[in-house]
Amino acid sequence: MNKKKVIWISVLSVAGALAAVYGIGCGYYSSHLMPHTVINGTAVGNDTAAKAMDALASSEGKVITLVEKDDKSETILLDDIDYQANVSTAAMKQVISSQSAWKWPAYVFKTSNETMDLDVSYDETKLEEALSALNCISGSNVVAPVNAHVERGTNGYEIVAETEGNTLDKDKTLTAVKTALSEGQSEVDLDAEGCYEEPTIKSDDEALTKELNLMKSIENEVITIDLSGATETLSGDALVDLLNINVDDATITVNDDKMTAYVDSLAEKYNTIYTQRTFTAHDGSTVTVGGGATDTYGWMMNKDSTKEAIAAAAVSGQSQTVSAFWDVTASGGRNGTNGDIGNTYIEVSISAQHLWYYKNGSLVLESDVITGKPEHGQDTPTGVFRIWKKEQNATLKGTAWDGSTWSSPVAYWMPITWTGVGLHDATWQSAFGGTLYYTRGSHGCINLSYSVAQSIFNAVDVNTPVVIY
């Protein structure tokens, strides 16, 4: 046999063998899935329809993978959620038919990814519980998104960029997982599915730039508040917190509620009326005085006028000093002798039935007195008061505890409360001091001899404090 004939015989033999293999393959893959076939994430290469259907229906060892940010992922075992899938025979045969058995050699070297609609079921409560237990939902490393915002830094106000964070919207995440399960998918890309919460304001937001420009217009503003012996300053974030930054019309206005609360806090801190004080009495002993609702002496801020002044300064854009307004002032300042009482005052001891008048720390005069009769609510009130006016030749009138009316003309009238208590001459009294007030006490006023009343009237100024204990 010549060489040429041998070659032809070999070629025909190989061709015949390949044809036979091809034919066998065509027959085999007419009822089997192609090699390397993956349906809905499950490898079913070379399986019959029945075997592939069992593989797809089974949940054993299967998971759904949640792909997270930063190359992280977590899984949920399908067995843990009672997952079940029913596969249509017709649908499986359709996949096998669509692969064309005569093309089987082409599938030997590639993966065939197929999808198939499945009739799936699972326990939704168990799915929610499994999802809630994942680190991406409840872990300590979950970071909430932060909007871009304007903040005061070392170089003044600036835009701080947003923080993306890694907080998932649980409802969106649950929906994405349910969709993947219903479609027979084995993986969910949470970022691609839009499950992460996002900042609503980004650093390139036009409104944020406008806000920055407005903030810069006040970033160097300092408002100094003169509180008559004390000062407070408003600047930076504390000042901005009291304002409304109106981006739409590029204006700055006062936040009325916050400004009211701020002025209230100033009044709370610097008002001294109705507060207790430690007072050094004539004999060097210390007495706690004041704190009653009838007190008339001390600092009492006019909050409306003070608020108006601070508000006007705050929106001006200019550093300046504004003065607080006071309905009542303390002539003794704030931190002098006896606090705001100072060293010029009238001291009255009810138990001693005696009065002392000090001016600039020196005793000017002292005298016995008669105070209110201690019955039927006629006691002289204790506290820290002030002479709020001086009047000569006044007629004092009132109604006694028993309903009777009375009228007393006096030469020197110095009221210290808003309810009619004051110092005055009482020429109808023949003596003063001791225990006379038990039987001849007044309706509440401090009775003085004519000469003492005259001396005090001529010596004291309106607003002189009167300390009664």
Side-chain angles (χ1 to χ4, degrees), residues 27-236:
Y28 181 83
Y29 286 112
S30 65
S31 60
H32 289 70
L33 290 158
M34 293 294 176
H36 312 304
T37 296
V38 177
I39 299 178
N40 294 351
T42 300
V44 290
N46 295 318
D47 284 353
T48 63
K51 186 175 181 181
M53 289 168 63
D54 287 343
L56 289 171
S58 173
S59 62
E60 184 178 356
K62 289 184 179 179
V63 300
I64 183 164
T65 300
L66 280 63
V67 179
E68 305 163 8
K69 284 184 175 181
D70 303 322
D71 297 324
K72 295 179 180 179
S73 65
E74 294 181 80
T75 59
I76 295 175
L77 284 170
L78 298 191
D79 278 344
D80 288 347
I81 61 173
D82 299 340
Y83 175 90
Q84 293 181 342
N86 296 315
V87 185
S88 166
T89 301
M92 182 60 72
K93 288 183 176 180
Q94 177 62 36
V95 172
I96 293 175
S97 175
S98 70
Q99 290 186 329
S100 300
W102 59 273
K103 295 180 180 179
W104 70 266
Y107 288 89
V108 173
F109 304 104
K110 70 175 184 177
T111 298
S112 176
N113 286 302
E114 307 287 349
T115 58
M116 179 183 295
D117 291 334
L118 303 177
D119 181 14
V120 303
S121 65
Y122 50 86
D123 188 314
E124 293 197 6
T125 299
K126 289 184 177 181
L127 174 60
E128 290 188 29
E129 291 174 351
L131 188 63
S132 297
L134 296 177
N135 286 328
C136 61
I137 295 291
S138 59
S140 59
N141 60 338
V142 174
V143 178
V146 179
N147 286 335
H149 57 281
V150 176
E151 186 176 290
R152 191 179 182 91
T154 55
N155 297 315
Y157 287 105
E158 57 190 7
I159 293 176
V160 178
E162 66 278 5
T163 300
E164 294 292 340
N166 60 355
T167 298
L168 287 164
D169 183 312
K170 188 175 179 181
D171 290 337
K172 289 183 178 180
T173 303
L174 184 60
T175 298
V177 173
K178 285 182 176 180
T179 299
L181 289 171
S182 67
E183 295 176 352
Q185 300 298 319
S186 60
E187 185 176 281
V188 182
D189 187 327
L190 298 178
D191 201 8
E193 294 296 329
C195 296
Y196 284 98
E197 294 182 2
E198 295 184 352
T200 57
I201 301 176
K202 304 294 181 69
S203 56
D204 59 356
D205 190 292
E206 183 179 349
L208 203 60
T209 301
K210 290 181 179 179
E211 181 183 349
L212 176 63
N213 292 336
L214 287 171
M215 300 284 267
K216 282 189 171 295
S217 71
I218 59 172
E219 70 179 351
N220 295 318
E221 183 178 351
V222 178
I223 306 299
T224 301
I225 304 165
D226 183 347
L227 293 149
S228 299
T231 58
E232 291 277 347
T233 58
L234 266 178
S235 63

Side-chain angles (χ1 to χ4, degrees), residues 228 272 297 299 330-336 339-342:
S228 299
T272 60
Y297 182 83
W299 294 98
S331 58
R334 286 196 177 276
N335 301 304
D340 63 348
I341 295 174

